[in-house]
Amino acid sequence: EAVELALARIAALEAELGSLLDVAEAGARAHAAELAREGSSRGPLHGVPFLVKANLCWRGRVTSAASRSLESYRPPYDATPIARLAEAGAIPLGSCNMDEFGFGSSGEHSSFGAPRTPGYPSRAPGGPSSGSAAAVAARVTPFALASDTGGSARQPAALCGVSGFKPSYGRISRHGLIAFASSLDTVGVLADSVERIEQVLAATSGADARDATALSLPPLQPEAPREGLRGLRVGVSAEALALATHAPTRARVAAALEVLRSLGAELVPLALPLTRHAVATYQLLSSCEAASNLARYDGLRYGPREPGDGSLQGSIAATRGAGLGAEARRRVLLGTLALSQGEREQWLERAARVRALLREELVACFEQVDVLAGPTVAGPAFRLGERLEDPLAMYACDALTAPASLAGLPAASVPCGTVEDDGVELPVALQLTGAPLADARVLAVARTFQSATSHHLARPALCGALP
Ligand code: GLN
């Protein structure tokens, strides 16, 4: 029934949303029938259909990371998080549109057309996990797997009005996640509630012999429900609040902080001056790693090959020129420059030092507070096209999410209401960041916030009439 419902919603909404690149209709039906035959339940995710971002390898299905260079790639294996969810009884149903390889903040850098925000078709759903966020916001499935390198799960979650989570680096195996920036990449989750995220974390986290960077820890168990937040110290960074340049968004976040206070938490003002350098640091380091990771798309092993001038070098150049989109080429060029002899001391090595200092600053603040709370985004969803020609404006979207990524910290984004912008009410969100490996704590605080509010239950107008 759940699979049929999801398929019905896809049939009704997908033409408008453009959130999916592939739907495994027959496979999902067969999977559901098999589970039904089993009879007994495998747990809370038994029979729950879900979607996966198109950069997670799914055996036998096209896994393109929304790139022409992988448009016909069918992996021979499942990414660990997909395999573990299937073991837990969840049913993979389709793969989600995204910015190519995870480069972007609006979905517009997909090679296959930009997804639209449910209910607000002229606005960008955020990105790169745009399709995952849009589909969950439209209640196509209760959750979707995403990835989060610099904010990809949290930022679109905020702009589409759903809950999003980026775990601590290494908490969920990256085996089968198509690499963007290996020291920053995490598998993220988008869902209709924090409880659902906790269920997905319990099923997917834990050591994995196939990923040497997956931490040797047992699967994450949710913290017990708590009455309020008495005794919890919540850090509020002046820099983060100042970055929320849209005044109504700042006011919404301030109201959410008051909810935390009314639940018994103590708000502690903090200064985190190095977080102001997060975008520049993130952009340099992630582009260096991307340039290195994308070197494999040379036409020799994957995807369509262009002959070029007939020479090996000519063919590789022509293949990469045709297979990679404009933003991917921009990142490869920036990263290659910053990695090259005579330049790397100036760019890569300095950025690596700033990252270490920034991490120290963030980790140290958890001696004074239990979690950090602030905005996920500077303002509500911008218009499609608005930042497309201005890469720096697009990169600036990561200002509030990149710090946790650079420091490897767990961070959740939960809806905290809407703000009026040009006559429309658009969602914004509260971001909660935790100390290293405090994933369960962050989620418990987010869950307590959610049980005291109802922002996550709001549905975009277009979904009201549907099953
Ligand atoms: N906006 C970030 C970027 O463009 C998002 C990266 C990510 O999390 N995949 O690099």
Side-chain angles (χ1 to χ4, degrees), residues 53 55 98-106 109 127-129 147-156 180-181 184-186 282-283 286-287 327 331 394-399 401-402 405:
K53 189 173 176 177
N55 60 353
M98 57 182 281
D99 285 298
E100 183 178 16
F101 290 114
F103 306 140
S105 294
S106 66
H109 292 308
S129 306
S147 62
D148 192 311
T149 304
S152 174
R154 290 162 286 158
Q155 189 247 14
F180 160 3
L184 295 151
D185 289 343
T186 60
Y282 164 80
Q283 199 59 39
S286 66
S287 296
E327 182 59 24
R331 306 249 179 152
M394 196 71 100
Y395 301 164
C397 298
D398 305 332
T401 49
S405 299

Side-chain angles (χ1 to χ4, degrees), residues 5 150 448:
L5 196 64
T448 311

